[in-house]
Amino acid sequence: QVQLVESGGGVVQAGGSLRLSCTASGLTFSRYTMGWFRQAPGKEREFVAAISFIGGAPTYADSVKGRFTVSRENANDILYLKMNSLKPEDTALYYCAASTYTWIRTSAHEYHYWGQGTQVTVSA
């Protein structure tokens, strides 16, 4: 059974940093493109960042480019999202997701497995 478990969320002041982790099990992590999405109350789930398993540069949403960094540790089946210069508008439930597509995808429906999410709250 595939499991994706996010951790590292919390409450932080604007300008602060957090690092989210996503630990995967039940799948061959090194063969999945991995992504981060987020959903704020009353809004649709939106793409944040993704990294392919074949290498190459990650892809980021314009809203987080230059502030967030996605990385993966295949040896330990972990996906990371380092978030710097956080803003109140980054407040959301952050999800980790896995896709069988080789190339990076930015649409939620192209991801096959999802975690339960970790809450990030940024205070002004």
Side-chain angles (χ1 to χ4, degrees), residues 32-50:
Y32 281 77
T33 288
M34 299 298 297
W36 288 99
F37 290 77
R38 66 187 182 186
Q39 188 166 17
K43 295 188 177 181
E44 292 190 354
R45 192 169 299 191
E46 65 173 0
F47 171 77
V48 175

Side-chain angles (χ1 to χ4, degrees), residues 4-7 36 93-96 114-119:
L4 301 175
V5 180
E6 302 94 337
S7 61
W36 288 99
L93 188 60
Y94 282 71
Y95 297 92
C96 154
W114 291 84
Q116 294 300 306
T118 185
Q119 179 68 38

Side-chain angles (χ1 to χ4, degrees), residues 38-86:
R38 66 187 182 186
Q39 188 166 17
K43 295 188 177 181
E44 292 190 354
R45 192 169 299 191
E46 65 173 0
F47 171 77
V48 175
I51 183 168
S52 174
F53 66 90
I54 63 168
T59 295
Y60 297 93
D62 288 343
S63 59
V64 307
K65 204 171 290 184
R67 299 188 298 122
F68 290 12
T69 302
V70 61
S71 61
R72 62 191 298 160
E73 190 176 295
N74 287 343
N76 293 308
D77 298 346
I78 303 176
L79 177 73
Y80 298 104
L81 184 69
K82 182 66 191 304
M83 307 184 294
N84 295 325
S85 303
L86 282 161

Side-chain angles (χ1 to χ4, degrees), residues 104-115:
I104 287 174
R105 295 293 192 269
T106 60
S107 297
H109 73 271
E110 294 176 303
Y111 284 77
H112 305 91
Y113 301 105
W114 291 84

